[in-house]
Amino acid sequence: FKEKIISFLNSRKSKWIIVLAALCVWYWLSLPSPLFHSPTSTVITDKNGILLGAKIAADEQWRFPYNENIPDKFTKCILQFEDRHFYYHPGFNPLALGRAIRQNIKARKRVSGGSTLTMQVIRIARRSGRQESRNIFQKIVEIILATRLELSYSKKEILALYASHAPFGSNVVGLEAASWRYFGRRPEQLSWAETATLAILPNAPSLIYPGKNKEKLFAKRNRLLDRLQKANIIDSATCAISKQEPLPEKPFPLPQLAPHLLTRVSKEGHKGKNVPTTLDGTLQHQVNRIIEHHHKTLSQNEIHNACAIVLDVETGNVLAYTGNTTTINSEHGNDVDVITAARSTGSILKPLLYSSILSDGE
């Protein structure tokens, strides 16, 4: 027996096995941290978490920063569509891989990959910033790294990684950006039909997305709704009503309620981050309207710049921040944040003078 072992170790076959084992160990240990390095959009929200504005990421993608919170509707939709055994497998699903192999052999072409959501997270992370061929070796690497990922992250964290980095068509990446671009609302506010639409987009983001291949997108969404009903996640009435909902025609422009504050936040060390503010979204909208109303009158006298900042006198919190008029005109410097611009001594004294007069009842 000892001689057989020595003979095997000296053989060419054993060397290949040792090399393969070493490669497996190397890939096993090479899970990067952090997993993703793609640039993200700068985002600001009001005190209630409502989106006030966002800047596109450096690579021209609408990719919001990582969000650990995933709506329950999206979790149920994506698991039914992509990976119904997500909570039970160690990163790869042998049954799904076997089924994919049979389907590909029968069709004599690649029709199914058999990837789990965990494997898809690995694939997205490895493709970040570069093109990578799809072959059996890459699939084996994905399986190894997916198992490694399962040991390092919880199932909830893996779902959050997928939701934050999956492609949703065009230049939209991540659930939150997709929700605002395609429906103009937060993911938590979407209906079952809208959530199901988003759940199927990462499956073929370059072929099917709102505004392209509408019939295929409609059919895939309705099949997912049927699957949700069959799994008793939604009832028959909800399924029937959801199927009647139309698809979004084209992307919505993202809100830009405080563009000057967004620019300031980006320049002051928060680029690519999601920055919560103390602003009140409703009040911000009202202040913007007041500024624009006065601008229409004052512009007749060649006054083209105006700003307003509203503070809570008890807490000092900023409730509204309008840095300038929003009329696009480079001649008048409307992109300049007048709130932070230098003032003359007389201008600095005016608020104190007005406050004194108000206090005296005059």
Side-chain angles (χ1 to χ4, degrees):
F1 181 74
K2 183 178 179 181
E3 292 178 352
K4 289 182 178 180
I5 293 177
I6 295 173
S7 176
F8 173 74
L9 292 174
N10 290 330
S11 67
R12 181 177 297 181
K13 184 178 180 181
S14 70
K15 293 177 181 178
W16 281 109
I17 292 175
I18 292 171
V19 169
L20 181 60
L23 285 173
C24 289
V25 172
W26 181 74
Y27 274 112
W28 177 275
L29 298 175
S30 65
L31 194 65
S33 180
L35 203 59
F36 293 89
H37 298 275
S38 302
T40 53
S41 302
T42 306
V43 178
I44 56 172
T45 57
D46 79 348
K47 63 181 181 180
N48 297 313
I50 304 299
L51 183 66
L52 293 173
K55 278 184 176 292
I56 199 165
D59 59 354
E60 299 299 315
Q61 302 290 308
W62 287 111
R63 184 189 296 106
F64 283 20
Y66 170 79
N67 188 345
E68 63 179 9
N69 299 313
I70 311 171
D72 185 58
K73 283 182 182 178
F74 183 78
T75 297
K76 291 177 178 177
C77 284
I78 196 64
L79 293 187
Q80 281 298 313
F81 185 72
E82 289 282 2
D83 193 352
R84 280 177 283 184
H85 300 95
F86 175 72
Y87 288 110
Y88 307 103
H89 62 63
F92 68 97
N93 187 338
L95 295 178
L97 288 171
R99 183 170 59 250
I101 292 171
R102 288 197 306 271
Q103 291 174 347
N104 294 340
I105 292 174
K106 185 176 181 180
R108 296 186 177 180
K109 62 179 182 179
R110 185 178 179 274
V111 295
S112 176
S115 294
T116 63
L117 281 178
T118 312
M119 291 170 64
Q120 291 182 49
V121 170
I122 291 296
R123 181 163 67 248
I124 295 169
R126 297 182 74 229
R127 281 184 174 181
S128 180
R130 69 179 191 274
Q131 292 293 325
E132 196 164 276
S133 59
R134 303 290 301 132
N135 52 49
I136 295 176
F137 176 74
Q138 296 298 338
K139 180 70 72 173
I140 293 172
V141 171
E142 287 174 10
I143 291 173
I144 294 171
L145 292 180
T147 308
R148 177 73 175 83
L149 186 66
E150 290 274 353
L151 295 175
S152 302
Y153 293 81
S154 68
K155 291 288 187 179
K156 181 181 178 181
E157 289 172 328
I158 293 171
L159 274 173
L161 286 170
Y162 176 85
S164 295
H165 296 93
F168 282 81
S170 187
N171 66 336
V172 180
V173 178
L175 172 63
E176 198 167 1
S179 181
W180 279 104
R181 287 290 281 162
Y182 295 138
F183 298 105
R185 299 194 301 282
R186 290 184 295 171
E188 296 84 0
Q189 298 174 315
L190 300 182
S191 66
W192 279 106
E194 292 167 339
T195 304
T197 300
L198 292 184
I200 65 178
L201 292 184
N203 185 255
S206 62
L207 300 177
I208 301 176
Y209 57 87
K212 184 177 182 180
N213 291 328
K214 184 176 180 180
E215 292 78 13
K216 291 183 178 180
L217 180 59
F218 191 81
K220 289 185 74 173
R221 183 202 69 177
N222 287 352
R223 284 199 296 271
L224 176 54
L225 289 170
D226 286 334
R227 192 179 293 180
L228 291 170
Q229 181 189 350
K230 187 176 180 180
N232 294 319
I233 295 173
I234 60 175
D235 56 35
S236 57
T238 301
C239 182
I241 293 172
S242 297
K243 287 183 177 180
Q244 301 303 314
E245 290 190 29
L247 295 172
E249 294 295 333
K250 58 182 180 180
F252 285 86
L254 293 180
Q256 293 295 339
L257 290 177
H260 299 89
L261 178 60
L262 177 62
T263 300
R264 179 177 177 178
V265 163
S266 181
K267 289 181 178 179
E268 293 183 352
H270 301 286
K271 185 177 182 180
K273 298 179 181 179
N274 191 334
V275 181
T277 71
T278 58
L279 268 61
D280 181 314
T282 303
L283 182 61
Q284 178 68 31
H285 182 68
Q286 293 173 338
V287 172
N288 286 346
R289 286 196 307 168
I290 292 170
I291 289 292
E292 289 307 310
H293 173 73
H294 284 288
H295 177 234
K296 288 180 180 179
T297 303
L298 295 171
S299 61
Q300 304 301 316
N301 293 323
E302 295 300 319
I303 299 174
H304 299 284
N305 303 102
C307 70
I309 184 167
V310 180
L311 305 171
D312 185 322
V313 294
E314 293 184 356
T315 64
N317 289 340
V318 179
L319 303 180
Y321 189 110
T322 303
N324 208 331
T325 56
T326 56
T327 304
I328 305 300
N329 192 328
S330 58
E331 291 183 7
H332 304 302
N334 301 100
D335 58 336
V336 174
D337 187 348
V338 183
I339 290 175
T340 60
R343 260 71 170 176
S344 67
T345 307
S347 294
I348 293 173
L349 291 175
K350 284 176 184 177
L352 304 178
L353 177 61
Y354 295 155
S355 178
S356 177
I357 293 173
L358 288 170
S359 296
D360 292 342
E362 299 180 10

